Amino acid sequence: MTSDIGDKPQPLIEHLMELRTRLMWSIAAFFVAFVVCFTFAKQLFNYLVYPYKWAVIWAHLDVAKSQLIYTAPQEFFFTQVKVAMFGALVIAFPIIAAQVYKFVAPGLYKNERNAFLPFLIASPVLFLMGAALVYFFFCPMVMWFFLKMQQSPADGEIAISLMPKVSEYLSLIMTLVFSFGLVFQLPVITTLLARVGLLTSTWLAEKRKFAIVLAFVVAAVLTPPDPMSQIGLAVPTILLYEISIYAARMVERSRKRQVEEDTESPSALAPRDDD
Protein backbone atom coordinates (compact mmCIF):
# COMPACT_ATOMS: atom_id res chain seq x y z
CA MET A 1 0.00 0.00 0.00
CA THR A 2 1.56 3.26 -1.09
CA SER A 3 1.57 6.38 1.04
CA ASP A 4 -0.11 9.56 -0.14
CA ILE A 5 2.63 11.75 1.29
CA GLY A 6 4.70 13.33 -1.46
CA ASP A 7 8.14 13.31 0.19
CA LYS A 8 9.96 10.46 1.90
CA PRO A 9 10.62 10.63 5.65
CA GLN A 10 13.66 12.73 6.47
CA PRO A 11 15.98 12.66 9.49
CA LEU A 12 15.92 15.48 12.02
CA ILE A 13 19.05 17.18 10.68
CA GLU A 14 17.48 17.54 7.23
CA HIS A 15 14.35 19.05 8.77
CA LEU A 16 16.52 21.58 10.64
CA MET A 17 18.41 22.43 7.44
CA GLU A 18 15.11 22.90 5.62
CA LEU A 19 13.86 25.14 8.45
CA ARG A 20 17.06 27.20 8.25
CA THR A 21 16.60 27.66 4.50
CA ARG A 22 13.00 28.80 4.90
CA LEU A 23 13.96 31.20 7.71
CA MET A 24 16.78 32.67 5.61
CA TRP A 25 14.42 33.30 2.68
CA SER A 26 11.85 34.89 5.01
CA ILE A 27 14.40 37.13 6.73
CA ALA A 28 15.92 38.12 3.37
CA ALA A 29 12.50 39.05 1.98
CA PHE A 30 11.73 41.13 5.10
CA PHE A 31 15.14 42.85 4.99
CA VAL A 32 14.86 43.80 1.31
CA ALA A 33 11.31 45.09 1.84
CA PHE A 34 12.48 47.03 4.92
CA VAL A 35 15.27 48.77 3.01
CA VAL A 36 12.86 49.79 0.24
CA CYS A 37 10.20 50.96 2.70
CA PHE A 38 12.71 52.90 4.83
CA THR A 39 13.88 54.74 1.71
CA PHE A 40 10.33 55.98 1.21
CA ALA A 41 9.34 56.02 4.90
CA LYS A 42 8.30 59.68 4.95
CA GLN A 43 6.10 59.23 1.86
CA LEU A 44 4.55 56.11 3.40
CA PHE A 45 3.82 58.00 6.61
CA ASN A 46 2.16 60.75 4.58
CA TYR A 47 -0.16 58.10 3.10
CA LEU A 48 -0.99 56.93 6.62
CA VAL A 49 -1.87 60.52 7.54
CA TYR A 50 -4.67 60.68 4.94
CA PRO A 51 -7.29 59.27 7.38
CA TYR A 52 -6.42 62.12 9.75
CA LYS A 53 -6.85 64.65 6.92
CA TRP A 54 -10.25 63.17 6.08
CA ALA A 55 -11.26 63.43 9.73
CA VAL A 56 -10.22 67.10 9.77
CA ILE A 57 -12.40 67.73 6.72
CA TRP A 58 -15.34 65.84 8.29
CA ALA A 59 -14.98 68.02 11.40
CA HIS A 60 -15.09 71.19 9.21
CA LEU A 61 -11.64 72.30 10.36
CA ASP A 62 -8.83 73.97 8.41
CA VAL A 63 -6.48 71.33 7.02
CA ALA A 64 -3.71 73.93 6.67
CA LYS A 65 -3.77 74.58 10.44
CA SER A 66 -3.88 70.92 11.45
CA GLN A 67 -0.58 69.26 12.26
CA LEU A 68 1.19 66.31 13.79
CA ILE A 69 4.09 67.02 16.14
CA TYR A 70 7.07 65.23 17.65
CA THR A 71 8.52 66.30 20.99
CA ALA A 72 11.84 64.44 20.99
CA PRO A 73 14.63 64.84 18.41
CA GLN A 74 14.75 61.11 17.61
CA GLU A 75 10.99 60.51 17.73
CA PHE A 76 10.22 60.98 14.03
CA PHE A 77 13.27 58.91 13.03
CA PHE A 78 12.09 55.92 15.05
CA THR A 79 8.59 56.50 13.74
CA GLN A 80 9.95 56.12 10.21
CA VAL A 81 11.71 52.90 11.28
CA LYS A 82 8.38 51.56 12.57
CA VAL A 83 6.67 52.59 9.33
CA ALA A 84 9.35 50.75 7.33
CA MET A 85 8.94 47.62 9.49
CA PHE A 86 5.17 47.80 9.14
CA GLY A 87 5.39 48.15 5.36
CA ALA A 88 8.05 45.43 5.10
CA LEU A 89 5.88 42.98 7.03
CA VAL A 90 2.93 43.64 4.73
CA ILE A 91 5.00 43.35 1.55
CA ALA A 92 6.98 40.30 2.64
CA PHE A 93 4.00 38.44 4.13
CA PRO A 94 3.17 36.47 0.92
CA ILE A 95 6.78 35.27 0.68
CA ILE A 96 6.91 34.40 4.39
CA ALA A 97 3.59 32.53 4.15
CA ALA A 98 4.84 30.65 1.08
CA GLN A 99 7.99 29.60 2.96
CA VAL A 100 5.90 28.34 5.87
CA TYR A 101 3.75 26.36 3.47
CA LYS A 102 6.79 24.86 1.70
CA PHE A 103 8.16 23.76 5.07
CA VAL A 104 4.98 22.01 6.26
CA ALA A 105 3.71 20.77 2.87
CA PRO A 106 5.93 17.66 2.67
CA GLY A 107 4.32 16.36 5.85
CA LEU A 108 0.79 16.71 4.50
CA TYR A 109 -1.25 14.36 2.34
CA LYS A 110 -2.08 15.51 -1.16
CA ASN A 111 -5.73 16.24 -0.30
CA GLU A 112 -4.59 18.19 2.78
CA ARG A 113 -2.25 20.31 0.64
CA ASN A 114 -5.06 21.02 -1.82
CA ALA A 115 -7.37 21.97 1.05
CA PHE A 116 -4.75 24.25 2.62
CA LEU A 117 -3.91 26.31 -0.46
CA PRO A 118 -7.21 28.26 -0.68
CA PHE A 119 -6.77 29.39 2.92
CA LEU A 120 -3.21 30.49 2.16
CA ILE A 121 -4.69 32.83 -0.46
CA ALA A 122 -7.74 33.87 1.57
CA SER A 123 -5.74 34.85 4.67
CA PRO A 124 -3.86 37.87 3.19
CA VAL A 125 -6.98 38.92 1.26
CA LEU A 126 -9.04 39.01 4.45
CA PHE A 127 -6.24 40.84 6.27
CA LEU A 128 -6.17 43.51 3.56
CA MET A 129 -9.95 43.82 3.77
CA GLY A 130 -9.67 44.51 7.51
CA ALA A 131 -6.84 47.00 6.93
CA ALA A 132 -8.86 48.77 4.22
CA LEU A 133 -11.84 49.07 6.58
CA VAL A 134 -9.56 50.74 9.13
CA TYR A 135 -7.87 53.05 6.62
CA PHE A 136 -10.89 54.29 4.69
CA PHE A 137 -13.58 54.35 7.39
CA PHE A 138 -12.77 53.41 10.95
CA CYS A 139 -9.62 55.46 11.58
CA PRO A 140 -11.12 58.66 10.06
CA MET A 141 -14.24 58.11 12.17
CA VAL A 142 -12.22 57.67 15.39
CA MET A 143 -10.09 60.76 14.67
CA TRP A 144 -13.21 62.76 13.81
CA PHE A 145 -14.65 61.77 17.21
CA PHE A 146 -11.52 63.04 18.97
CA LEU A 147 -11.32 66.22 16.89
CA LYS A 148 -14.91 67.13 17.75
CA MET A 149 -13.88 67.26 21.43
CA GLN A 150 -11.71 70.33 20.80
CA GLN A 151 -12.74 73.63 22.36
CA SER A 152 -12.54 76.90 20.44
CA PRO A 153 -11.51 80.14 22.18
CA ALA A 154 -14.96 81.63 21.67
CA ASP A 155 -16.80 83.36 24.53
CA GLY A 156 -13.63 83.81 26.51
CA GLU A 157 -12.92 80.10 26.88
CA ILE A 158 -9.39 78.76 26.69
CA ALA A 159 -8.67 76.90 23.46
CA ILE A 160 -8.22 73.15 23.75
CA SER A 161 -6.67 71.77 20.59
CA LEU A 162 -5.68 68.30 19.48
CA MET A 163 -2.07 68.07 18.25
CA PRO A 164 -1.26 64.35 17.92
CA LYS A 165 2.32 63.14 18.15
CA VAL A 166 3.58 61.26 15.09
CA SER A 167 4.53 58.23 17.19
CA GLU A 168 1.16 58.05 18.96
CA TYR A 169 -0.78 58.43 15.70
CA LEU A 170 1.28 55.67 14.08
CA SER A 171 0.75 53.42 17.11
CA LEU A 172 -2.99 54.03 16.90
CA ILE A 173 -3.36 53.22 13.22
CA MET A 174 -1.01 50.21 13.42
CA THR A 175 -2.92 48.82 16.42
CA LEU A 176 -6.21 49.20 14.58
CA VAL A 177 -4.87 47.67 11.36
CA PHE A 178 -3.42 44.61 13.09
CA SER A 179 -6.49 44.22 15.31
CA PHE A 180 -8.92 44.27 12.40
CA GLY A 181 -6.58 42.18 10.25
CA LEU A 182 -6.39 39.45 12.89
CA VAL A 183 -10.12 39.51 13.55
CA PHE A 184 -10.80 39.10 9.83
CA GLN A 185 -8.90 35.78 10.03
CA LEU A 186 -11.73 34.30 12.10
CA PRO A 187 -13.53 32.63 9.15
CA VAL A 188 -10.25 31.10 7.96
CA ILE A 189 -9.40 29.68 11.38
CA THR A 190 -12.86 28.29 12.10
CA THR A 191 -13.15 26.76 8.63
CA LEU A 192 -9.79 25.03 9.01
CA LEU A 193 -10.81 23.70 12.42
CA ALA A 194 -14.12 22.52 10.95
CA ARG A 195 -12.28 20.70 8.15
CA VAL A 196 -10.24 18.69 10.64
CA GLY A 197 -13.30 18.00 12.78
CA LEU A 198 -12.33 20.08 15.84
CA LEU A 199 -15.31 22.44 15.45
CA THR A 200 -18.89 22.04 14.26
CA SER A 201 -21.42 24.64 13.16
CA THR A 202 -23.79 23.42 15.89
CA TRP A 203 -21.17 23.99 18.58
CA LEU A 204 -20.38 27.46 17.23
CA ALA A 205 -24.07 28.39 17.19
CA GLU A 206 -24.52 27.18 20.76
CA LYS A 207 -21.58 29.29 21.95
CA ARG A 208 -22.80 32.45 20.20
CA LYS A 209 -23.65 34.33 23.41
CA PHE A 210 -20.20 33.62 24.86
CA ALA A 211 -18.61 34.73 21.58
CA ILE A 212 -20.44 38.07 21.75
CA VAL A 213 -19.12 38.74 25.26
CA LEU A 214 -15.62 37.64 24.25
CA ALA A 215 -15.72 39.92 21.19
CA PHE A 216 -16.26 42.98 23.39
CA VAL A 217 -13.57 41.85 25.85
CA VAL A 218 -11.02 41.33 23.06
CA ALA A 219 -11.99 44.67 21.49
CA ALA A 220 -11.44 46.39 24.83
CA VAL A 221 -7.94 44.87 25.06
CA LEU A 222 -6.80 45.45 21.47
CA THR A 223 -8.21 48.90 20.77
CA PRO A 224 -7.62 52.32 22.37
CA PRO A 225 -9.69 52.98 25.51
CA ASP A 226 -12.64 54.69 23.86
CA PRO A 227 -16.12 53.26 23.23
CA MET A 228 -16.14 53.95 19.48
CA SER A 229 -13.02 51.87 18.86
CA GLN A 230 -14.29 49.01 21.00
CA ILE A 231 -17.73 48.91 19.39
CA GLY A 232 -16.19 49.36 15.94
CA LEU A 233 -14.07 46.21 16.41
CA ALA A 234 -16.62 44.15 18.34
CA VAL A 235 -19.44 44.51 15.79
CA PRO A 236 -17.39 43.24 12.79
CA THR A 237 -16.10 40.42 15.00
CA ILE A 238 -19.64 39.28 15.74
CA LEU A 239 -20.55 39.48 12.04
CA LEU A 240 -17.46 37.45 11.15
CA TYR A 241 -18.44 34.89 13.77
CA GLU A 242 -21.78 34.46 12.03
CA ILE A 243 -19.94 34.06 8.71
CA SER A 244 -17.74 31.44 10.39
CA ILE A 245 -20.82 29.45 11.43
CA TYR A 246 -22.05 29.53 7.83
CA ALA A 247 -18.61 28.51 6.52
CA ALA A 248 -18.43 25.60 8.97
CA ARG A 249 -21.89 24.49 7.88
CA MET A 250 -20.79 24.55 4.24
CA VAL A 251 -17.74 22.44 5.10
CA GLU A 252 -19.96 19.89 6.85
CA ARG A 253 -22.29 19.71 3.87
CA SER A 254 -19.35 19.25 1.51
CA ARG A 255 -17.93 16.46 3.68
CA LYS A 256 -21.33 14.74 3.87
CA ARG A 257 -21.76 14.99 0.10
CA GLN A 258 -18.29 13.51 -0.44
CA VAL A 259 -19.07 10.59 1.86
CA GLU A 260 -22.32 9.91 -0.02
CA GLU A 261 -20.53 10.00 -3.38
CA ASP A 262 -17.86 7.60 -2.12
CA THR A 263 -20.52 5.26 -0.78
CA GLU A 264 -22.48 5.25 -4.04
CA SER A 265 -19.42 4.93 -6.31
CA PRO A 266 -19.19 1.75 -8.45
CA SER A 267 -15.96 0.71 -6.78
CA ALA A 268 -17.62 0.79 -3.36
CA LEU A 269 -20.69 -1.17 -4.56
CA ALA A 270 -18.81 -3.76 -6.63
CA PRO A 271 -18.75 -7.27 -5.07
CA ARG A 272 -15.37 -8.50 -3.86
CA ASP A 273 -13.75 -11.56 -5.40
CA ASP A 274 -13.22 -14.03 -2.52
CA ASP A 275 -11.50 -16.64 -4.72
Side-chain angles (χ1 to χ4, degrees), residues 161-240:
S161 302
L162 173 65
M163 289 187 292
K165 295 173 62 178
V166 290
S167 59
E168 293 177 350
Y169 175 80
L170 179 65
S171 298
L172 173 63
I173 194 168
M174 286 178 59
T175 300
L176 291 175
V177 166
F178 279 116
S179 299
F180 275 75
L182 292 176
V183 166
F184 269 65
Q185 304 302 309
L186 185 60
V188 173
I189 296 173
T190 54
T191 306
L192 280 173
L193 293 177
R195 275 187 174 273
V196 298
L198 296 178
L199 286 180
T200 63
S201 59
T202 303
W203 186 87
L204 290 172
E206 291 175 352
K207 304 301 180 182
R208 182 183 283 109
K209 56 184 178 181
F210 300 104
I212 294 174
V213 175
L214 183 62
F216 281 95
V217 172
V218 172
V221 173
L222 294 179
T223 60
D226 65 276
M228 290 192 66
S229 299
Q230 296 172 12
I231 295 173
L233 180 59
V235 171
T237 304
I238 296 171
L239 294 176
L240 288 168

Side-chain angles (χ1 to χ4, degrees), residues 78-136:
F78 285 112
T79 300
Q80 294 182 63
V81 172
K82 292 179 181 179
V83 169
M85 294 178 64
F86 177 70
L89 184 61
V90 174
I91 295 174
F93 177 79
I95 299 176
I96 296 174
Q99 296 304 313
V100 173
Y101 175 75
K102 289 181 179 180
F103 178 72
V104 301
L108 301 175
Y109 290 96
K110 183 178 180 181
N111 60 335
E112 292 174 337
R113 291 197 293 267
N114 294 335
F116 189 76
L117 276 175
F119 298 103
L120 191 65
I121 298 173
S123 182
V125 172
L126 288 173
F127 186 91
L128 290 176
M129 288 176 60
L133 179 63
V134 171
Y135 185 84
F136 291 105

Side-chain angles (χ1 to χ4, degrees), residues 1 24-25 43 46 73 84 96-97 118 148 170 185 196 237 258 270:
M1 183 176 180
M24 289 178 62
W25 276 104
Q43 291 85 342
N46 287 331
I96 296 174
K148 292 296 290 185
L170 179 65
Q185 304 302 309
V196 298
T237 304
Q258 184 65 38

